[in-house]
Structure formats: C-alpha cells, structure tokens
Amino acid sequence: MSGNVELLSSALAQAKTENRAALIAYLPAGFPTVDGGIEAVKAVVAGGADIVEVGLPHSDPVLDGPVIQTADDIALRGGVKIADVMRTVREAHEATGVPILVMTYWNPIDRYGVERFTAELAEAGGAGCILPDLPVQESELWREHADKHGLATVFVVAPSSKDERLATITAAGSGFVYAASLMGVTGTRASVGEQAQDLVLRTRATTELPVCVGLGVSNAGQAAEVAGFADGVIVGSAFVKAILDAPDEAAGLAAVRSLAGELAEGVRKR
C-alpha cells in the first residue's frame, strides 16, 4: 500500500493557492493516553490545522524542550509502543482526512526495521516522516524504502547550516523542508527572530520544496509573522502545554481546538 506523500504536497499547495501558510500541528502519540492522543489530533484539525505531526515518544529527545519531554515521559510510562503510533496515524487520518506525518528519532526505526516501519506507516495512511537526527549522508536506506512506500522524507535545517549543506539536505528530502527557527530545543518563545526568515530565504534558493518553520511559535501573532515568509508554520509545545495545563481531558481537547483556531487565523494574516 502506498503512503500519502501526494496528499501532503496537495495540502501545502492548497494553502499557497489561498495566499497563506499551512498550519502544521505537532502532538506526541500516547499523550495523555493513546486514545486521548488520537482525540487531540482530531481536535487540532477541527480547530484548523492542515497537517499533523505525530511524535514517536523517545527516552532521549535531543531536539525537544521540557514541555515535550514531559509529554513523552507520560506516554512512555503509559507503555506506548510503535504499534500505538501507527494506530494513532491510522485513526487520526481516517477521521480527519488530513496528511499525518510521524516525527521520530532514528534509533526506534533502526531497531524496529526500516522496511517494517515504512510498510506499516504507509498501510496506516501516513504521509511520511520527519527525521531530525538522521544525517543525510546516512539516509539512503531510509529514502529507498520511503520512496517505495510513497512516504515523504522531511529533513531539518538550522540557522547554522551553510548554503552548500542546505543544498545537500534539500536535494535528498521530499514533502517539505523543516526549518528550525533557532539553535536550541523546542519550546515557546517571546520572539521567533530574524534568523528564521534568513534561513527560509537561503533554503528556498536551493529547492522547490515548501519551507516550513518550527520551534518557538505559540500564538497567533507569531504565526502571522512566520506566515509572512514561510510556506508552513509548525506548532508543537504550545499544544502540548495546553493539554498539560488543562484540569481534565475534555478541557485539554477544548484548549487545543481553540488554540488551533487562533493559529489558523494567524496564518491567514500574513
């Protein structure tokens, strides 16, 4: 069965035809529970997210700040497995119709088996993977299987990436390019900064792929700012924090749906 890389491309193209950036929401699988995580994905889509990244919880999440680390810890202590991640992708995609990617570090895939992981993700209706710690020069095996199963390979670029390195990364990727707005870990910040705009401009000079910005966006104003120069706005920690701060699961779902609505308005005010 083929994955949904084309659905991902269509969602980004549709946002562009509407003269706006796409809103991409991140939520970890298994948080606060597997069922609760699936409902949270449905809620952010109902609020206005165009694309969803489902995080595969990891014990050593080097890119993630304290908020997402807390959520990952809750999911791992709850016993979340890769099968639960696949179930989250399947049920969320079936319920919403939007492209669902998995964001994961390389070690869980390597241990699970690349062919097994890509085949199962495609069968679940997944659109691809974001792989923040897989070096491009070591990615050939992954890309071979991802291409075979119709899955996007999204690499992360950073403000420290030199132009030559950007060209190497973007040539190997598909779906879109994930531009990290700053050096550091995920989390909400007071300002996204000029580094992000410069990185988007430099990345666009190397590729036709959409360039989407993550790390630091947490409110409608920041979403509007980033939407002024990026093809997509990626928000994760703010959604996770909304669930962590909620008194119960129903309140958490209401909070993420409301936040998605505010952010969806923001990306339309570029």
Side-chain angles (χ1 to χ4, degrees), residues 4-265:
N4 274 312
V5 62
E6 291 183 4
L7 182 64
L8 174 64
S9 298
S10 295
L12 289 159
Q14 179 63 33
K16 188 174 183 178
T17 64
E18 295 172 10
N19 193 34
R20 65 177 179 87
L23 174 59
I24 304 174
Y26 167 93
L27 289 162
F31 168 74
T33 62
V34 176
D35 288 341
I38 293 167
E39 292 305 312
V41 174
K42 295 178 187 177
V44 294
V45 174
D50 301 290
I51 297 162
V52 177
E53 302 173 10
V54 169
L56 194 162
H58 192 265
S59 57
D60 186 26
V62 292
L63 184 70
D64 298 312
V67 171
I68 291 176
Q69 285 184 26
T70 298
D72 277 5
D73 186 56
I74 290 168
L76 291 167
R77 283 191 284 114
V80 70
K81 301 286 192 293
I82 288 180
D84 299 311
V85 178
M86 298 300 179
R87 182 186 151 212
T88 300
V89 172
R90 177 182 293 104
E91 294 189 15
H93 175 63
E94 288 176 351
T96 66
V98 305
I100 312 281
L101 299 110
V102 169
M103 186 163 188
T104 178
Y105 298 97
W106 179 244
N107 181 258
I109 295 177
D110 192 38
R111 293 186 64 183
Y112 196 72
V114 176
E115 170 58 21
R116 181 184 177 195
F117 189 94
T118 51
E120 290 183 8
L121 182 56
E123 192 275 329
C129 265
I130 301 165
L131 301 159
D133 68 340
L134 177 63
V136 171
Q137 61 270 27
E138 298 174 19
S139 68
E140 186 175 351
L141 177 66
W142 163 265
R143 288 186 285 126
E144 176 188 325
H145 288 286
D147 290 346
K148 182 172 77 171
H149 290 292
L151 299 169
T153 297
V154 179
F155 289 114
V156 179
V157 297
S160 61
S161 302
K162 304 298 184 186
D163 291 350
E164 184 179 355
R165 178 69 177 162
L166 288 176
T168 300
I169 293 170
T170 58
S174 56
F176 65 90
V177 182
Y178 187 126
S181 66
L182 39 77
M183 301 303 293
V185 297
T186 59
T188 62
R189 290 182 171 73
S191 173
V192 179
E194 294 179 7
Q195 285 188 71
Q197 187 168 4
D198 175 67
L199 177 58
V200 169
L201 289 171
R202 291 195 298 117
T203 304
R204 279 206 179 122
T206 71
T207 183
E208 297 289 314
L209 290 173
V211 183
C212 303
V213 171
L215 273 66
V217 178
S218 61
N219 58 52
Q222 290 172 334
E225 177 192 352
V226 173
F229 57 81
D231 299 297
V233 178
I234 303 167
V235 181
S237 295
F239 285 121
V240 174
K241 187 175 187 299
I243 296 173
L244 286 170
D245 290 349
D248 54 51
E249 192 168 308
L253 294 176
V256 294
R257 180 171 179 164
S258 175
L259 177 58
E262 294 169 18
L263 292 164
E265 285 186 26

